[in-house]
Amino acid sequence: MSTTDAVIRPRPVPGPRLRLFVLHHAGGSHVPYRAWAGHLPPEWELCLLEAPGRGTRRGAPARTADELAGVFLEDVRPWTDRPYAVFGHSMGAIAAYELTLALRDHGLPLPCWLGLSAVRAPEHHPRRDGRRFDLPDAELRTAVLEMGGTPREVLEEPGLWAYLEPILRADLQLAETWQPRAAAPLPVPLSVFSGDADKGALPHLMETWAAHSSRFVGAHVLEGGHFYLQPDPSALIHRIVTDIRGNSVPGGEPSPVEGTL
């Protein structure tokens, strides 16, 4: 698979004003995010990234944030020729943050906006509530069911579980053993998001992301738990569009991503 083929574009837009890259959660794939294309301004293009080990993307799942960010860096590299933004949920938020650091390290164009959802700021890692990736099978299924986001029938069907389990364990290992490096604040507008019932991403923990960007936009709390963005992402996407349009260009210049919603 070439790097350009690795980017999934549910609704290709010729000469888009903005590309929005979306990075999925642990145990997930790009599929639940395909419907976002219908909620974006028509001149914006949705670009979905798929972590290794699922779908048509071959290879073992990544087990560290650095490894996954390296994969995504090569995916994004050919598409940085025009304004773009990056959003990640849960594990995808870790990858989105590390990806942006890697883009800066490599001297590549930075996103005009970064959105991080349902993950604590670096100083609050590693997790203090135990590691799920090495739980026994039955306990892991229970933990995943309690997290939400995965239908019960997937966890109970032997064939589907056999496919999902190694992916899920690798993804959780990545998220739960993340040890972020010390890094200067990013010069990128940063918005963070969480559900009001997500105990792992309480507002006071999310607000500490402000120290990691010189252009912190704010912390947004939406109704729901860890997977507050399912099944209806419209409120989140509206907030994303608003934040990008309002903060993507410094100095009060006209935004290149204005348009109709």
Side-chain angles (χ1 to χ4, degrees), residues 103-188:
L103 286 160
R104 180 171 66 179
D105 292 344
H106 285 77
L108 294 170
L110 293 177
C112 66
W113 176 87
L114 176 63
L116 305 178
S117 170
V119 72
R120 304 172 185 178
E123 57 268 29
H124 296 296
H125 281 263
R127 296 179 63 94
R128 303 299 184 187
D129 53 357
R131 296 179 177 181
R132 294 163 290 187
F133 70 87
D134 56 2
L135 287 172
D137 184 273
E139 293 180 33
L140 178 61
R141 294 191 201 208
T142 299
V144 173
L145 186 63
E146 290 174 350
M147 280 193 296
T150 305
R152 180 184 292 272
E153 54 268 27
V154 171
L155 303 177
E156 295 179 348
E157 203 287 314
L160 292 175
W161 177 249
Y163 167 77
L164 177 62
E165 182 186 9
I167 295 172
L168 186 60
R169 288 189 185 278
D171 289 356
L172 289 175
Q173 181 176 351
L174 183 157
E176 295 175 352
T177 62
W178 178 41
Q179 295 186 7
R181 57 190 168 98
L186 289 165
V188 174

Side-chain angles (χ1 to χ4, degrees), residues 7 12 18 62 67 81 90-91 119 128 143 152 174 189 203 212 231-232 240 242:
V7 175
L18 177 93
E67 182 183 353
D81 59 326
S90 196
M91 179 191 77
V119 72
R128 303 299 184 187
R152 180 184 292 272
L174 183 157
H212 300 275
D232 181 5
I240 289 173
T242 299

Side-chain angles (χ1 to χ4, degrees), residues 23-244:
L23 284 58
H24 63 77
H25 56 279
S29 73
H30 79 280
V31 174
Y33 302 90
R34 293 183 68 93
W36 284 34
H39 295 273
L40 292 176
E43 64 275 11
W44 291 18
E45 183 172 67
L46 178 66
C47 297
L48 305 176
L49 301 183
E50 188 97 293
R54 65 211 80 199
T56 59
R57 186 146 213 177
R58 300 183 183 275
R63 292 183 178 274
T64 69
D66 284 346
E67 182 183 353
L68 185 56
V71 171
F72 287 160
L73 176 66
E74 295 308 311
D75 292 347
V76 169
R77 189 190 292 266
W79 301 92
T80 60
D81 59 326
R82 60 181 58 248
Y84 73 98
V86 177
F87 172 87
H89 176 67
S90 196
M91 179 191 77
I94 293 174
Y97 175 67
E98 292 289 349
L99 168 62
T100 308
L101 293 179
L103 286 160
R104 180 171 66 179
D105 292 344
H106 285 77
L108 294 170
L110 293 177
C112 66
W113 176 87
L114 176 63
L116 305 178
S117 170
V119 72
R120 304 172 185 178
E123 57 268 29
H124 296 296
H125 281 263
R127 296 179 63 94
R128 303 299 184 187
D129 53 357
R131 296 179 177 181
R132 294 163 290 187
F133 70 87
D134 56 2
L135 287 172
D137 184 273
E139 293 180 33
L140 178 61
R141 294 191 201 208
T142 299
V144 173
L145 186 63
E146 290 174 350
M147 280 193 296
T150 305
R152 180 184 292 272
E153 54 268 27
V154 171
L155 303 177
E156 295 179 348
E157 203 287 314
L160 292 175
W161 177 249
Y163 167 77
L164 177 62
E165 182 186 9
I167 295 172
L168 186 60
R169 288 189 185 278
D171 289 356
L172 289 175
Q173 181 176 351
L174 183 157
E176 295 175 352
T177 62
W178 178 41
Q179 295 186 7
R181 57 190 168 98
L186 289 165
V188 174
L190 170 63
S191 301
V192 296
F193 305 85
S194 61
D196 60 4
D198 185 354
K199 296 180 180 179
L202 296 172
H204 73 278
L205 297 177
M206 299 299 292
E207 288 167 0
T208 58
W209 274 107
H212 300 275
S213 169
S214 60
R215 300 181 61 201
F216 187 66
V217 177
H220 305 298
V221 181
L222 291 88
E223 183 178 355
H226 188 71
F227 288 95
Y228 68 90
L229 65 175
Q230 298 178 359
D232 181 5
S234 57
L236 169 63
I237 296 172
H238 180 80
R239 186 71 261 172
I240 289 173
V241 172
T242 299
D243 280 9
I244 292 174

